[in-house]
Amino acid sequence: MNSALMLRSSLFLAAAAFLLSPKASLAQDPAPPAQAPPRETAKQQGPAPAAPIRLTLQDALDRARKSSTQYQAALTGAGLAREDRTQARDALLPSVAYNNSAIYTQGTGARAQALGITTPVIFIANNAVHEYVSQANIHEAIDVASVAAWRRASAAAAVARAQAEIASRGLVVTVVQGFYNVAAAQHKLETAKRGADEGDRFLKITQELEHGGEVAHSDVIKAELQMQDRRRQLQEAQLTLLNARLDFSVLIFPDFNDNFEVVDDLHAAVPLPTLAEVQQQAARDNPSVRAALAAVQEANHDVLGARAGYLPSLALDYFYGIDAVHFAVNTAVGNQKFSNLGSSIVGSLNIPIWNWGATQSRVKQADLRRAQAKRELSLAQRTLLAEMQSLYAEAETALNEQEGWKRSAELAEDSLRLTTLRYTQGEATVLEVVDAQTTYAQANAGYQDGAVRYRVALANLQTLTGVLTTP
């Protein structure tokens, strides 16, 4: 009995060992069937995304001029003023019209004729019971007011052209600022990413040093606070870049399109013209002063047009055609035919006598406008001189600070590296590392902002000179 029981126990243990062995498991568990890789269909793949539009500054300027509502409104104003000038000029030239009319008048009737009344019509101003007029008319009016109106329209067109130029140069400033704001936001985002990575790395260093008993837990807390701050700065940098791109897209594209990238030449070397060159270009062609000068000329012609109300005006009319009782070229009387065609000339001289002082009031109004236009011209000239010095000093200061900002960013990056290394060796405090990280972020932000400031300063200078300095 005991031997049989021991035999069965031995067989059971052997079978269990065989079943639990890896080879037996592999033999009992068949390998799963190989699955074919999923077949990609055209619907799953979808259309490939379009490549982003690569924009240079000149491309952005060209697009902005086509899509800017304010700039197009200025061009529209210039076009309207040009047409006003054309209409005023055409008013000085003879006009030609062809007049046709038929007049049917009540006659005196048979009873009046029986009584010996020979008047053919009741309305004595009419020539006959039936009167047909078909005449060509050449009309010319000669007066000083029309000449003054044409000259005033010419000056107004010059004002509108200058204002369109002002709008064009102002648009350049807006585009330059938007273009380089996007470039600077991209650089700031890269700096924020490095700062966030540095914050994570420094937190890991402090945790490792705390586990080794080399620093206090307060260092870990300070490092974590700094890490959270860097992550928030990263999110703000992402938001700033998004807003800069959206604002720039609205400016340069007629429809919404954020699939673009700008050619980053933010830190390219751009020379600053000399002050003498800026003064020469600004004096030669400044639209603000040009608009003020044209406004004074417009006011002078307004005064002349108002004073023309004291002078007589002459109108000349030449008529050729028919004015007859029959609508025909010829009229038959008995056996003879007579031509209805004829011509006449009418001259009218209008001499103003009295209009209760309306002309005098218009002259006073024109004098007031002219005096104000002269004051605005003087202000534009003084403003040009002041802006020339101010904007040039702004550009010069930004250029001089650019190299300093660049050096500060390099030093801040090197200081952060060395301070972190000293901290790992126990030679620096956590506050020194945090201060180095803050200095690094501020120096890099200042470097990008300084570059944008210089580009915008150059763009502001071109509002005076008309020349945008580029790399």
Side-chain angles (χ1 to χ4, degrees):
M1 289 288 295
N2 292 333
S3 59
L5 180 61
M6 291 178 64
L7 180 59
R8 285 196 298 268
S9 299
S10 299
L11 293 174
F12 176 76
L13 292 173
F18 176 76
L19 292 174
L20 294 175
S21 64
K23 292 183 179 181
S25 299
L26 290 174
Q28 289 181 359
D29 296 336
Q35 295 182 357
R39 185 177 302 172
E40 295 183 355
T41 62
K43 293 183 179 180
Q44 290 176 343
Q45 291 179 353
I53 301 174
R54 187 170 176 82
L55 295 173
T56 63
L57 178 59
Q58 187 59 48
D59 295 335
L61 289 171
D62 294 339
R63 289 176 177 271
R65 289 190 180 98
K66 295 178 181 178
S67 61
S68 173
T69 303
Q70 292 82 359
Y71 176 62
Q72 292 298 325
L75 290 182
T76 300
L80 294 175
R82 184 170 60 250
E83 296 306 320
D84 286 340
R85 177 184 180 276
T86 300
Q87 295 170 22
R89 180 203 61 193
D90 294 344
L92 298 175
L93 304 176
S95 62
V96 180
Y98 199 86
N99 305 317
N100 293 276
S101 62
I103 304 174
Y104 297 92
T105 308
Q106 181 181 359
T108 55
R111 187 166 180 269
Q113 294 178 2
L115 295 175
I117 301 174
T118 58
T119 303
V121 293
I122 293 177
F123 295 97
I124 61 174
N126 296 336
N127 299 315
V129 175
H130 295 164
E131 181 179 1
Y132 301 93
V133 179
S134 181
Q135 297 175 337
N137 171 228
I138 301 176
H139 174 79
E140 171 67 9
I142 303 174
D143 60 348
V144 178
S146 298
V147 176
W150 170 61
R151 292 181 176 177
R152 179 189 179 280
S154 300
V159 172
R161 288 195 302 270
Q163 290 174 344
E165 180 64 22
I166 292 172
S168 176
R169 298 185 184 186
L171 180 63
V172 171
V173 177
T174 304
V175 173
V176 167
Q177 188 167 15
F179 184 88
Y180 288 111
N181 276 341
V182 172
Q186 291 174 347
H187 285 287
K188 290 180 180 179
L189 179 59
E190 294 172 0
T191 302
K193 288 179 179 179
R194 290 197 298 269
D197 294 339
E198 182 65 26
D200 294 339
R201 190 173 72 86
F202 182 63
L203 176 60
K204 185 177 180 181
I205 291 174
T206 56
Q207 289 173 343
E208 291 174 352
L209 292 177
E210 182 192 22
H211 292 158
E214 300 180 39
V215 298
H217 183 63
S218 59
D219 285 9
V220 178
I221 295 176
K222 186 64 177 176
E224 186 172 355
L225 289 174
Q226 187 72 358
M227 181 269 294
Q228 295 292 342
D229 187 42
R230 297 304 172 204
R231 288 190 176 277
R232 284 192 294 269
Q233 291 180 0
L234 175 59
Q235 293 176 353
E236 291 295 330
Q238 291 172 340
L239 178 60
T240 300
L241 176 57
L242 175 63
N243 289 334
R245 288 179 59 84
L246 292 178
D247 292 341
F248 193 60
S249 173
V250 171
L251 178 64
I252 65 173
F253 291 111
D255 53 354
F256 182 77
N257 182 9
D258 61 347
N259 187 24
F260 68 91
E261 59 183 20
V262 298
V263 175
D264 186 7
D265 59 349
L266 178 61
H267 297 292
V270 183
L272 178 65
T274 64
L275 181 58
E277 292 174 347
V278 171
Q279 290 174 340
Q280 182 180 5
Q281 292 170 346
R284 183 174 61 248
D285 185 21
N286 181 260
S288 298
V289 175
R290 185 154 35 96
L293 283 171
V296 172
Q297 295 175 359
E298 182 180 1
N300 288 332
H301 297 312
D302 267 338
V303 173
L304 178 61
R307 289 177 178 174
Y310 293 121
L311 303 176
S313 60
L314 175 65
L316 298 175
D317 288 275
Y318 173 77
F319 298 94
Y320 180 80
I322 67 170
D323 186 355
V325 296
H326 296 95
F327 190 74
V329 175
N330 299 309
T331 298
V333 178
N335 295 327
Q336 298 182 353
K337 289 185 178 181
F338 297 92
S339 174
N340 290 329
L341 294 175
S343 62
S344 64
I345 299 177
V346 179
S348 302
L349 182 64
N350 182 20
I351 303 175
I353 301 298
W354 178 254
N355 61 359
W356 301 97
T359 301
Q360 183 180 6
S361 177
R362 285 192 288 270
V363 172
K364 288 182 178 180
Q365 281 183 333
D367 283 331
L368 290 173
R369 294 192 188 99
R370 180 171 61 179
Q372 180 61 27
K374 290 180 178 180
R375 287 190 288 268
E376 292 177 357
L377 172 60
S378 177
L379 176 61
Q381 292 170 336
R382 298 195 307 270
T383 302
L384 173 62
L385 295 176
E387 285 184 344
M388 202 182 307
Q389 298 184 21
S390 175
L391 294 178
Y392 189 84
E394 171 76 13
E396 191 175 31
T397 301
L399 178 61
N400 293 335
E401 291 180 355
Q402 223 179 357
E403 190 63 31
W405 278 117
K406 181 180 180 181
R407 180 60 178 164
S408 297
E410 293 173 350
L411 292 175
E413 183 177 7
D414 197 30
S415 174
L416 175 59
R417 181 181 60 81
L418 294 176
T419 304
T420 305
L421 182 61
R422 289 175 56 237
Y423 178 80
T424 58
Q425 296 174 354
E427 299 177 2
T429 64
V430 66
L431 294 179
E432 290 179 296
V433 178
V434 170
D435 182 66
Q437 290 178 350
T438 303
T439 302
Y440 170 72
Q442 291 176 349
N444 274 276
Y447 180 41
Q448 310 307 329
D449 291 338
V452 174
R453 179 188 178 189
Y454 178 59
R455 292 306 184 102
V456 174
L458 289 177
N460 281 321
L461 269 181
Q462 66 83 33
T463 61
L464 306 180
T465 63
V467 179
L468 177 62
T469 305
T470 56

